[in-house]
Amino acid sequence: MLALPSGRRTVVKDIVCLDSSLPVAIAGDSVTLTLADDIDISRGDMLADPARPPRTAKTVEARICWLATQSLAAPALPAARFVLKHTTRSVKAKLVSLNSRVDVDTLERQAKPAALAMNDVAHVTLALAQPLFVDSYELNRATGSFILIDEISNQTVAAGMLDG
């Protein structure tokens, strides 16, 4: 296994649930992993297959569905700051650009829209304060999806899928 963000390799020696060992663990299981090496990992860190590691990204392109009742207008973009929640990690994110919006009636793309309203689907570029380990949504739904949370109100304002 590849431990991220350290980049160190290790092997999982044991999967422990309560007082017994398990042959496998699945998403949602509360387990303790015993590693072959003394590596400091904690919540938010990731263990990945070294043959297919996720990419490291500080800027991401994504498709989002805007969920907030208040619209997001282009003049507000430089000040549009969010918390991006990805897997178990949360990082600050800035909306760099609204690249396009999908007309849900015709499925046509409108380049550089002036605003997003509730339930709009858009392609955006986000800059992240810290790198994340991501995959495209097509490749892995768990590491290819995220939500955006308004920093001030703490409300979820968008759900997103990362592009390849």
Side-chain angles (χ1 to χ4, degrees):
M1 301 300 296
L2 180 64
L4 299 169
S6 72
R8 295 199 42 205
R9 290 178 185 244
T10 190
V11 174
V12 176
K13 280 189 356 184
D14 197 10
I15 303 169
V16 181
C17 181
L18 296 175
D19 292 332
S20 61
S21 292
L22 298 176
V24 297
I26 58 171
D29 287 352
S30 181
V31 297
T32 300
L33 298 179
T34 304
L35 303 177
D37 305 289
D38 189 18
I39 297 176
D40 184 23
I41 60 172
S42 61
R43 183 175 177 87
D45 290 355
M46 185 180 292
L47 292 175
D49 181 350
R52 295 179 305 177
R55 66 183 169 89
T56 304
K58 275 201 74 170
T59 302
V60 293
E61 303 241 343
R63 290 164 285 153
I64 64 167
C65 179
W66 188 253
L67 303 173
T69 53
Q70 72 275 17
S71 65
L72 177 67
L77 283 182
R81 299 190 189 284
F82 306 98
V83 173
L84 185 145
K85 179 129 173 67
H86 173 262
T87 63
T88 58
R89 293 193 68 198
S90 296
V91 299
K92 291 188 179 210
K94 177 182 173 188
L95 187 57
V96 176
S97 64
L98 283 173
N99 303 324
S100 64
R101 186 181 71 79
V102 177
D103 182 323
V104 293
D105 295 323
T106 64
L107 298 181
E108 292 179 5
R109 290 181 184 248
Q110 172 193 7
K112 302 290 181 191
L116 290 182
M118 188 172 189
N119 295 327
D120 275 350
V121 175
H123 181 264
V124 300
T125 302
L126 298 161
L128 310 174
Q130 298 171 337
L132 289 178
F133 306 103
V134 301
D135 293 301
S136 70
Y137 186 81
E138 275 183 42
L139 185 62
N140 186 330
R141 289 182 0 181
T143 56
S145 61
F146 64 92
I147 60 171
L148 290 178
I149 301 165
D150 182 272
E151 271 190 326
I152 297 168
S153 68
N154 206 32
Q155 292 183 345
T156 301
V157 293
M161 299 179 296
L162 297 167
D163 292 341

